[in-house]
Amino acid sequence: ASDVYKRQDNARKHRRITVSARAKIALTGRQPEDARLIDLSVGGAGLITERSLPIGALCHVMFRLIMPSGKLFTVVAHTQAQHSTFSSRHSGFKTGFKFGKLPEPTLAALVEFIADKTKTVAL
C-alpha cells in the first residue's frame, strides 16, 4: 500500500494532514499578513499566501488549532519558505514552510492534534 503523504524521493519525513484555518505570516521586519493554513505536519506547514515568497525567506507563522479537548492552542513558529507556487485552485500562492526548532509545548500540541486527526475509526 502506498502512503499518499510520502513523495517518491522520500523528501517528506513527517505525516502531513489537510487542515483549514486562518493564519498570519510575518516576514522579518514586516507587518503580519493574512494567510490560510491548508496542511500541517510536525516538520512544517502549507499555507496560501497573497504573494510569492522567496525560497529561504525566514518568517513567523501563527495559527490556532482546536485541540481534541476543545481548547484553542496558538502556534507561533519560526519558519523558512521551501517553495511558493501560484495555485489557481486556491487563488493564491501555495507556500511550503519548514519549522525551525519548536518549543516543547508547541511540538507536543502538534503531535496530539495530528494524531487525533489521523486516528482510524473502528468499524
Side-chain angles (χ1 to χ4, degrees), residues 13-106:
K13 296 178 187 161
H14 307 286
R15 177 183 292 239
R16 187 166 290 253
I17 61 167
T18 300
V19 289
S20 181
R22 290 185 304 175
K24 294 273 187 190
I25 178 167
L27 282 115
T28 306
R30 296 211 182 153
Q31 291 286 23
E33 299 176 26
D34 290 331
R36 207 165 64 245
L37 180 69
I38 58 168
D39 62 49
L40 181 65
S41 79
V42 295
L47 286 91
I48 300 300
T49 56
E50 288 184 11
R51 60 191 174 95
S52 179
L53 296 172
I55 293 172
L58 299 176
C59 46
H60 287 85
V61 170
M62 298 152 276
F63 54 89
R64 287 191 176 131
L65 299 175
I66 300 172
M67 299 303 293
S69 66
K71 291 185 178 179
L72 282 176
F73 185 90
T74 301
V75 173
V76 178
H78 297 283
T79 64
Q80 184 174 35
Q82 301 295 299
H83 62 82
S84 189
T85 336
F86 185 76
S87 167
S88 54
R89 185 173 140 231
H90 293 291
S91 300
F93 290 88
K94 186 173 181 185
T95 307
F97 293 94
K98 182 178 177 183
F99 292 144
K101 182 156 176 50
L102 295 170
E104 199 54 48
T106 301

